[in-house]
């Protein structure tokens, strides 16, 4: 494949000749520079320039490299589309870059699969081919700066540096004070991804209309049959969440503008209407039930109808804050005027059923293997809820899981006495008794115990929500974004002390390419002196690298040095 390096803004100054020769730091700098220019043109309302910059970005070598890396490093990289093709080698990835061309591009149908949902039903997914995923990732690079620059301030789903915890924090801010809104419209869109109007998308999504139409009309294959796609954007495509966000953008800004135009600024403010949205789930607060039922809901229904969407009658309701409501797995309810946020009963029940099914499905597994299987599940659930008042839920869940593990242990030895079973599977660690733990050898060879993650030991720490106007593609927010990234990375790593130490000793940067280490990029733990050559596991012999940088270092037998903290 020939690669031209004529333009410094559109290609790498020294064009690589293979996958491992790519300078990823320069790639990211080139892509981000173009995205910043697109965002600036968007804020200025210069849509002709936005279109020209988007066209330029999607034709650059840097953007194509970035897109291929993204789809080959994420969790779906091992899942093939209808062509059964995977880009699992450096050679196939390098060859794929030359195939990302607009001219003659025709996407293949999606492969329909179903995954189980928490309520027992199944969620349909459409799996594109690797080439189609890479093309979507390529055009997403050009669409995301526009989407971020035009999004509602309190939209939190599938956006950079935003999470469910930020949405939860905003809901608390809107309902926690004595004079806050006391009524809440719990809204749920019926089959959002499946019913978005294609004509609306083609006319309003600021991207290449012909490419978008081809994706929307690609169809899908299920049980060997080709099915047409007349509406919706299939779940499973890398660009689908952003398309859904673009569809719902304006729900907050336009509603507030409508209320101000109808009632005047002062009266509209007294209505205390606030919108908090995460993807297609949203809640709207109001001063009274009548305001939400007679003013807000009809406007929302009209807003959605234009886009081919409608509210679910079964899941949409208006609730008083004293009765409480569920949102994103949490329950928000006021008790004697004080707001309490706890894990919802539905969320806790779904999680316990998942744990119980895991234990029941591995009756003959070794105890240590079962603990290794359960610990990520327990830690993930605990970390999701550690921003709310979850201590009581943790204790209740621990009690239920203990009973399940006790039955698991007793079943394995039906002829043994309970005391014998207790001594074999449960231990005393410090002041804690009946700890489900398995004997294991430590790295130095001494005996130790591998224990089940302690839910009740998870610290509760309230979340500092992101500023609503934050734009990751606006240079004035650069410092705020860096501080936000470091703070949140520290919180996610504090229970993994060695990684946290390495992360901060490297100033949050990859020791090879010097670009930021984030949850999205991931990281690998690299030994400077390989263990097979006698290298130790001490922190002085280890650094954190991006996964692709780690592959690059090993393939090219490159030397990485320990960075000096600034």
């Amino acid at each position: 494949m020939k690669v031209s390096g004529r333009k410094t803004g559109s290609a790498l100054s020294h064009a690589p000749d293979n996958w491992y020769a790519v300078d990823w730091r320069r790639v990211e700098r080139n892509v981000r520079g173009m995205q910043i220019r697109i965002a600036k043109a968007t804020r200025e309302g210069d849509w002709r320039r936005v279109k020209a910059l988007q066209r330029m970005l999607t034709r650059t070598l840097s953007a194509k490299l970035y897109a291929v890396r993204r789809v080959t490093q994420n969790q779906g990289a091992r899942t093939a589309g209808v062509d059964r093709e995977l880009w699992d080698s450096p050679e196939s990835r390098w060859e794929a870059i030359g195939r990302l061309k607009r001219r003659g591009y025709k996407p293949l149908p999606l492969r329909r699969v179903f995954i189980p949902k928490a309520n027992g039903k199944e969620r349909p997914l459409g799996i594109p081919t690797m080439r189609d995923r890479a093309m979507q990732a390529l055009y997403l690079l050009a669409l995301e700066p526009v989407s971020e620059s035009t999004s509602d301030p309190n939209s939190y789903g599938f956006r950079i540096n935003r999470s469910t915890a930020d949405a939860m924090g905003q809901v608390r801010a809107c309902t926690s004070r004595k004079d806050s809104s006391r009524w809440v419209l719990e809204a749920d869109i019926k089959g959002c991804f499946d019913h978005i109007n294609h004509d609306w998308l083609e006319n309003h999504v600021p991207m290449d209309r012909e490419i978008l139409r081809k994706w929307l009309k690609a169809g899908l294959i299920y049980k060997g049959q080709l099915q047409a796609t007349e509406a919706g954007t299939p779940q499973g495509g890398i660009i689908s969440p952003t398309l859904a966000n673009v569809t719902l953008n304006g729900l907050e800004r336009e509603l507030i503008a409508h209320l101000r135009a109808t009632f005047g600024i002062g009266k509209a403010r007294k209505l205390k209407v606030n919108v908090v949205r995460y993807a297609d789930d949203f809640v709207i607060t109001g001063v009274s039930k009548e305001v939400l039922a007679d003013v807000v809901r009809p406007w929302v229904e009209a807003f959605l109808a234009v886009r081919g969407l409608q509210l679910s009658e079964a899941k949409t309701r208006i609730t008083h804050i004293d009765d409480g409501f569920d949102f994103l797995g949490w329950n928000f309810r006021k008790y004697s005027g004080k707001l309490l946020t706890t894990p919802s009963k539905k969320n806790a029940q779904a999680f316990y059923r998942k744990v119980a099914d895991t234990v029941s499905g591995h009756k003959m597994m070794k105890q240590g293997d079962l603990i290794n299987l359960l610990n990520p599940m327990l830690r993930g659930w605990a970390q999701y809820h550690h921003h709310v008042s979850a201590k009581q839920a943790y204790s209740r869940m621990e009690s239920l899981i203990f009973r399940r593990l006790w039955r698991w242990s007793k079943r394995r030895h039906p002829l043994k006495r309970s005391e014998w079973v207790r001594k074999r599977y449960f231990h005393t660690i410090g002041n804690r008794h009946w700890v489900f733990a398995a004997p294991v050898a430590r790295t130095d060879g001494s005996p130790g115990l591998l224990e089940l993650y302690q839910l009740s030991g998870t610290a509760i720490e309230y979340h500092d929500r992101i500023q609503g106007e934050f734009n990751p593609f606006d240079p004035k927010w650069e410092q705020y974004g860096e501080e936000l990234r470091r703070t949140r990375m520290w919180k996610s790593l504090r229970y993994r002390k060695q990684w946290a130490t390495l992360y901060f000793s490297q100033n949050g940067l990859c020791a090879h390419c010097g670009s930021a280490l984030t949850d999205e990029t991931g990281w690998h733990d690299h030994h400077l002196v390989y263990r097979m050559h006698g290298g130790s596991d001490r922190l002085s012999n280890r650094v954190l690298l991006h996964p692709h940088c780690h592959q690059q270092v090993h393939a090219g037998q490159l030397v990485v040095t320990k960075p000096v903290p600034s």
Side-chain angles (χ1 to χ4, degrees):
M1 183 189 72
K2 290 187 177 180
V3 179
S4 173
R6 290 175 296 173
K7 297 181 181 180
T8 58
S10 62
L12 302 178
S13 57
H14 300 286
D17 56 3
N18 67 80
W19 184 256
Y20 287 134
V22 176
D23 182 347
W24 289 110
R25 187 174 186 180
R26 184 178 295 274
V27 165
E28 293 182 10
R29 187 186 302 120
N30 291 344
V31 171
R32 180 160 179 80
M34 289 291 293
Q35 289 179 319
I36 290 174
R37 293 170 65 188
I38 293 173
K40 182 175 183 292
T42 302
R43 293 193 301 273
E44 295 173 350
D46 189 349
W47 294 105
R48 177 176 294 183
R49 182 164 177 76
V50 168
K51 186 175 181 180
L53 291 171
Q54 286 182 320
R55 187 186 303 113
M56 188 185 302
L57 176 59
T58 56
R59 284 160 172 74
T60 62
L61 173 62
S62 291
K64 293 178 180 181
L65 285 165
Y66 196 103
V68 171
R69 189 187 75 180
R70 180 169 181 177
V71 300
T72 56
Q73 295 287 344
N74 60 19
Q75 293 182 347
R78 298 182 181 180
T79 305
V82 293
D83 60 355
R84 300 296 177 182
E85 180 182 358
L86 291 177
W87 296 343
D88 52 4
S89 68
E91 292 76 20
S92 60
R93 294 168 190 168
W94 184 249
E95 182 183 353
I97 297 168
R99 298 169 57 190
L100 302 186
K101 297 178 179 179
R102 183 181 185 278
R103 179 176 296 180
Y105 170 67
K106 184 178 181 181
L108 293 177
L110 307 170
R111 181 165 69 92
R112 172 68 87 198
V113 297
F114 292 87
I115 60 173
K117 297 172 63 176
N119 59 7
K121 298 181 180 180
E122 292 185 322
R123 183 189 306 276
L125 292 181
I127 309 299
T129 64
M130 292 298 296
R131 184 192 181 198
D132 294 337
R133 269 178 259 177
M135 286 291 286
Q136 289 188 18
L138 177 63
Y139 280 85
L140 179 59
L141 291 174
L143 175 61
E144 210 164 28
V146 183
S147 173
E148 284 289 339
S149 301
T150 57
S151 289
D152 293 324
N154 293 308
S155 163
Y156 297 97
F158 305 111
R159 293 182 60 191
I160 299 172
N161 287 333
R162 300 190 181 220
S163 66
T164 53
D166 291 307
M168 178 270 295
Q170 180 61 20
V171 172
R172 291 178 58 177
C174 296
T175 57
S176 60
R177 296 185 301 273
K178 290 184 179 181
D179 60 346
S180 295
S181 308
R182 301 187 65 81
W183 290 90
V184 178
L185 170 64
E186 301 176 66
D188 184 88
I189 300 175
K190 184 178 180 181
C192 177
F193 284 88
D194 298 327
H195 296 102
I196 300 176
N197 185 279
H198 283 181
D199 291 336
W200 191 94
L201 285 173
E202 292 176 19
N203 292 326
H204 292 86
V205 176
M207 64 167 290
D208 190 309
R209 184 180 298 184
E210 182 179 345
I211 293 293
L212 177 59
R213 184 186 300 114
K214 288 180 178 181
W215 287 334
L216 296 176
K217 302 298 184 182
L220 54 90
I221 292 180
Y222 180 58
K223 293 184 177 179
Q225 298 293 322
L226 177 63
Q227 302 175 5
T229 49
E230 300 299 334
T233 170
Q235 298 182 63
I238 195 170
I239 202 173
S240 295
T242 302
L243 293 179
N245 268 339
V246 172
T247 303
L248 296 176
N249 279 345
L251 181 65
E252 179 183 359
R253 294 185 191 273
E254 293 180 23
L255 174 58
I256 299 302
H258 167 73
L259 294 176
R260 289 178 176 178
T262 304
F263 299 100
I265 297 177
K267 181 68 179 297
R269 187 179 295 112
K270 293 179 181 179
L271 297 179
K272 299 178 181 179
V273 172
N274 299 281
V275 181
V276 182
R277 179 170 68 86
Y278 188 90
D280 58 338
D281 291 332
F282 60 94
V283 294
I284 304 178
T285 66
V287 71
S288 68
K289 185 175 182 179
E290 290 72 27
V291 168
L292 294 177
D294 300 334
V295 179
V296 173
R297 179 164 179 170
W299 185 90
V300 171
E301 290 176 338
F303 175 87
L304 295 177
V306 175
R307 294 153 174 79
L309 304 173
Q310 60 181 345
L311 294 176
S312 169
E313 292 294 335
K315 298 180 180 180
T316 301
R317 61 183 67 88
I318 298 176
T319 310
H320 195 276
I321 191 64
D322 290 347
D323 297 325
F325 65 95
D326 290 349
F327 183 56
L328 301 177
W330 293 296
N331 179 262
F332 302 82
R333 185 176 179 181
K334 272 190 173 179
Y335 297 85
S336 301
K338 183 177 181 179
L339 181 70
L340 190 64
T341 309
T342 58
S344 68
K345 291 182 179 179
K346 182 179 179 181
N347 179 274
Q349 290 170 354
F351 176 70
Y352 172 69
R353 178 48 48 198
K354 180 180 178 181
V355 172
D357 290 344
T358 301
V359 174
S360 300
H362 298 87
K363 294 182 175 68
M364 302 309 296
M365 178 178 280
K366 292 182 179 179
Q367 185 186 14
D369 294 338
L370 180 62
I371 291 174
N372 284 326
L373 197 61
L374 292 176
N375 275 352
M377 297 166 55
L378 298 175
R379 185 180 293 108
W381 187 75
Q383 289 300 305
Y384 184 81
H385 293 294
H386 83 287
H387 298 302
V388 302
S389 303
K391 281 294 185 182
Q392 186 175 354
Y394 289 161
S395 297
R396 172 64 175 163
M397 187 62 65
E398 276 192 340
S399 177
L400 293 172
I401 293 174
F402 166 78
R403 295 176 189 176
R404 177 67 62 170
L405 292 174
W406 176 248
R407 291 197 295 270
W408 179 88
S409 304
K410 288 278 290 182
R411 182 189 179 280
R412 294 165 70 89
H413 307 281
L415 303 181
K416 295 291 186 179
R417 295 168 61 89
S418 295
E419 181 63 17
W420 186 93
V421 174
R422 183 190 70 80
K423 290 182 178 179
R424 180 177 178 86
Y425 293 102
F426 296 86
H427 303 266
T428 297
I429 300 178
N431 296 325
R432 298 167 55 216
H433 305 286
W434 288 84
V435 179
F436 191 71
V440 64
R442 297 192 179 98
T443 54
D444 59 2
S446 61
L449 288 173
L450 173 65
E451 61 181 283
L452 191 71
Y453 181 81
Q454 183 188 10
L455 292 175
S456 58
T458 306
I460 302 298
E461 181 178 315
Y462 290 112
H463 183 74
D464 293 328
R465 70 183 187 279
I466 196 171
Q467 293 187 32
E469 299 297 334
F470 169 70
N471 185 343
F473 301 105
D474 188 343
K476 75 177 184 180
W477 290 97
E478 185 72 22
Q479 184 176 355
Y480 175 80
E482 286 295 317
E483 293 174 356
L484 185 72
R485 178 178 65 84
R486 288 176 62 85
T487 300
R488 294 191 171 181
M489 185 64 77
W490 162 247
K491 290 181 178 180
S492 68
L493 288 176
R494 63 182 173 178
Y495 295 105
R496 303 172 181 178
K497 295 182 179 179
Q498 291 192 350
W499 280 357
T501 301
L502 290 174
Y503 177 84
F504 282 97
S505 70
Q506 297 175 203
N507 298 312
L509 305 176
C510 172
H512 176 61
C513 72
S515 297
L517 295 164
T518 65
D519 284 327
E520 182 180 355
T521 64
W523 57 84
H524 283 177
D525 195 341
H526 173 70
H527 288 71
L528 302 177
V529 178
Y530 298 170
R531 281 176 291 183
M532 68 176 63
H533 297 153
S536 70
D537 283 330
R538 294 180 179 179
L539 294 181
S540 59
N541 189 48
R542 293 157 56 191
V543 292
L544 297 181
L545 307 176
H546 290 127
H548 53 272
C549 289
H550 200 193
Q551 296 173 0
Q552 200 170 33
V553 166
H554 280 276
Q557 297 182 348
L558 306 178
V559 176
V560 179
T561 59
K562 191 79 173 178
V564 178
S566 60

